[in-house]
Structures are given as structure tokens and as C-alpha cells.
Amino acid sequence: MTATLTRRGLGAATFGLLPAAAAAQPAAYPGTRPVSIVVSFAPGGSTDTVARIVAQQLQRILGGSFVVENRPGASGTIGSGHVARARPDGYTLLFAGSGTYSMSGHLYPQRGYDEETNFTPIGSVSTSSLFMCLSPKHPMRDIGAFIARAKAEPGKLSYASSGAGSSAHMITELFLEGAGIQVENITYRGGAPAMQALITGEVQMAFVEAVTALPQMRNGDIIGVAVTSAQRSPLAPDVPTIAEAAVPGFEGTTLLAMFAPAGTPDEIIQRLHRGVAEAMQVPEVMATLRTGAVFPRVMTPEEFRPFLTSERRRWLAVIRSRGISAQ
């Protein structure tokens, strides 16, 4: 699903994270052969940026060489398909967000692979939230006022999204269903024009990734009225969660995770997971992630498997009930 972190912001801060001490000597894996970490989006987004942090740390912790390879296209399914067809030897891995591994499969039936059978999860890595934001050009100033007006005038309000089937689009539709309101989706060609439409009042509302929303909220260009995570964001503690303000039980975040092709030896899976878990405890890594409104959230492969199943079922239900398609 995709965010707007850039190498200049989050990514640039990763330079110098490696300690001066020499990296650990490689064992049988990875050895001297480079490991490709495939990101299914173009360089510069949050998935790519966090993947590069993880690659750098795995290189330090496990030895060897970990290289990020960008294979963008079709909401992440091109890169995912490449990894699904790769040899299960631990040298081709997938780094993906929840939009890719739990949503895209329901929108692209001809993608050529199956999320349930073609991948082995290494585990989750980090999480980030979105903010429900309102335009200051309209009189509504909180989530309650927005819902009340949407109920009074069904279909008259609109929200901006940057693409059909994107994480922001799906999470917005989940909110609309939970709130029981009708709001028109206006799709823009990317996050920047969608944000501009919100600022100018062309639309009344948008769900915006935290790293993009927070600066605009602070300077008054948009109004952040609720956050999609289960708990309030430590970067905006005065903004309530959607669950506490309007839709009990609501949660919609972007969870980044790593996968290997099905059949990859468990010893390699566990070695990679331990490396990721160690990487996410490095203070410099945690501080760098926080500057991009990203926070560690590590699950073991065993913990992550039932979560994956639950998330895929959850989003399939949303897609069907809301009539969402990739077109």
C-alpha cells in the first residue's frame, strides 16, 4: 500500500547506521552470494526505504551482501510474482506492504501466483498509520461533524484517493462501511495531486499516510481528525483513533513484512527472522524510522501466518461488500 517517504527524508538518514566494528563473519548462509530483497514499488517510497534499512542491518548482522531490487508495477504483483517463481534457497526475498500481500490478490486474479501457497513468511517488520484528514476550506472540524453531514447528505461529500485498490482507498472504504455513510471517491494520479485537492477544498476528506499528513497538519493546511491505528500516534497524541471517536474496533494500518519463496529451508527463514528482530531493536534504526512515522512491529513466522490469513479474509469481505475493483 503506498507511502511517500523519500530517501532525502527517512532514507538519507540511514547513512552511517552501520557501526565502525567489522560485520559478523558469514556462516553457511548467506555466505558470499548476494541476497536480493525485491521491493514491488519504485525507489523512494516507504516500502523501499524501510527495505534498505533492513538490508543494511542484515548485512551487518548476518554478513554477506543484501541488495534491494525494485520491480514495480500492477500494485505490487509484478515483483511478488518474480519472487514466487524464484528458487527457494534464501537468495531472493520479498519485502512488501499489506496492500500487496493481503489486498492485491483479490483485485488481480490473473497475477500468476497464490499468496497462500507460493510464499513462506519471514515475519512482519514495521507498521505505519494513516490520518483521516479534512479540508480547512469546509466548515467540518472533527470526525463527528463529517459523519453527521455525510448521513444528512448521502453521496454529496467526496474523498481523494491516489489509486483504485491502494491501501488508502481500501482503508477509507473500510471506514465508510463502519460509519454507515456514502462518500464519493475521486481518484487522482498520485498522492501529490490528491493532497492538493484536499488542501484547496476540491474534496472534503482524505486518508493520508502519517509521514505526509503530519507536516501539513502542523502548518494548518489540513485538519487531522482521527488516526487509523489501534492506539493514538505518539507523534500526534491529541488526535483520537477512529475506534475511540467513531467506529469501535476500527484499525487500518500498513504493515511491512518479509517473505521467501515457498519451500525455503526453515533454518534460513529463522535466521532471517532473528536478523530482522535484532535490526528493529537498534536505537539508531528506531530513531530513523520514527522520523518517517514508522514503528517496529516484529512478528515471528509462526505468529504472522494466522495474521495473514485473517487479513486476507478481512479485505476480501471489504472488496466484495464495497464493489471495489482494480479499474
Side-chain angles (χ1 to χ4, degrees):
M1 44 215 74
T2 0
T4 54
L5 301 181
T6 65
R7 292 182 190 174
R8 176 175 292 181
L10 178 57
T14 67
F15 299 140
L17 280 180
L18 289 176
Q25 293 299 312
Y29 173 86
T32 59
R33 182 179 168 191
V35 178
S36 175
I37 300 178
V38 175
V39 172
S40 299
F41 297 95
S46 62
T47 305
D48 173 78
T49 301
V50 178
R52 292 178 189 275
I53 294 174
V54 171
Q56 186 185 44
Q57 291 297 312
L58 288 179
Q59 186 163 303
R60 176 183 66 83
I61 295 164
L62 302 182
S65 175
F66 287 79
V67 181
V68 171
E69 177 184 357
N70 298 93
R71 287 180 173 261
S75 294
T77 59
I78 290 177
S80 297
H82 172 75
V83 177
R85 294 184 293 271
R87 182 175 297 178
D89 55 10
Y91 291 94
T92 305
L93 309 174
L94 177 67
F95 198 92
S98 45
T100 299
Y101 62 71
S102 64
M103 301 176 190
S104 294
H106 304 309
L107 298 169
Y108 294 87
Q110 306 302 320
R111 63 198 179 281
Y113 63 87
D114 182 84
E115 289 83 0
E116 297 281 354
T117 60
N118 290 135
F119 297 98
T120 297
I122 295 166
S124 65
V125 177
S126 64
T127 185
S128 59
S129 58
L130 293 84
F131 282 85
M132 177 183 171
C133 300
L134 303 181
S135 172
K137 302 297 184 182
H138 298 276
M140 298 163 289
R141 291 293 181 269
D142 57 55
I143 190 171
F146 181 84
I147 292 175
R149 183 172 171 187
K151 287 185 174 180
E153 303 177 29
K156 295 293 183 64
L157 301 182
S158 59
Y159 75 88
S161 73
S162 58
S166 66
S167 294
H169 176 209
M170 301 283 283
I171 291 172
T172 305
E173 290 293 328
L174 179 66
F175 162 71
L176 298 179
E177 183 172 63
I181 55 179
Q182 299 176 36
V183 179
E184 183 182 5
N185 173 25
I186 307 297
T187 302
Y188 294 85
R189 293 183 178 274
M195 173 61 75
Q196 187 62 24
L198 181 65
I199 292 173
T200 61
E202 188 173 316
V203 297
Q204 288 80 29
M205 182 268 283
F207 275 60
V208 184
E209 299 245 3
V211 68
T212 303
L214 286 165
Q216 304 287 356
M217 289 162 54
R218 292 180 186 127
N219 64 26
D221 285 340
I222 59 177
I223 304 168
V225 296
V227 67
T228 61
S229 49
Q231 291 81 37
R232 294 192 182 198
S233 170
L235 303 180
D238 293 336
V239 179
T241 67
I242 289 178
E244 62 182 310
V247 184
F250 184 95
E251 182 177 6
T253 56
T254 297
L255 189 67
L256 298 181
M258 286 185 70
F259 301 84
T264 300
D266 188 61
E267 180 181 353
I268 291 176
I269 296 295
Q270 296 299 332
R271 186 169 172 79
L272 286 165
H273 167 70
R274 289 192 296 270
V276 168
E278 182 177 337
M280 289 298 103
Q281 294 176 5
V282 175
E284 294 90 344
V285 169
M286 296 174 68
T288 300
L289 291 175
R290 185 184 174 94
T291 64
V294 178
F295 300 91
R297 184 182 177 187
V298 178
M299 293 187 213
T300 66
E302 295 73 22
E303 293 168 333
F304 198 48
R305 286 189 189 97
F307 173 85
L308 283 172
T309 300
S310 173
E311 281 294 280
R312 287 166 181 153
R313 290 174 179 169
R314 175 194 190 196
W315 291 111
L316 176 59
V318 173
I319 288 166
R320 287 177 172 174
S321 66
R322 305 296 293 180
I324 298 170
S325 71
Q327 303 302 318

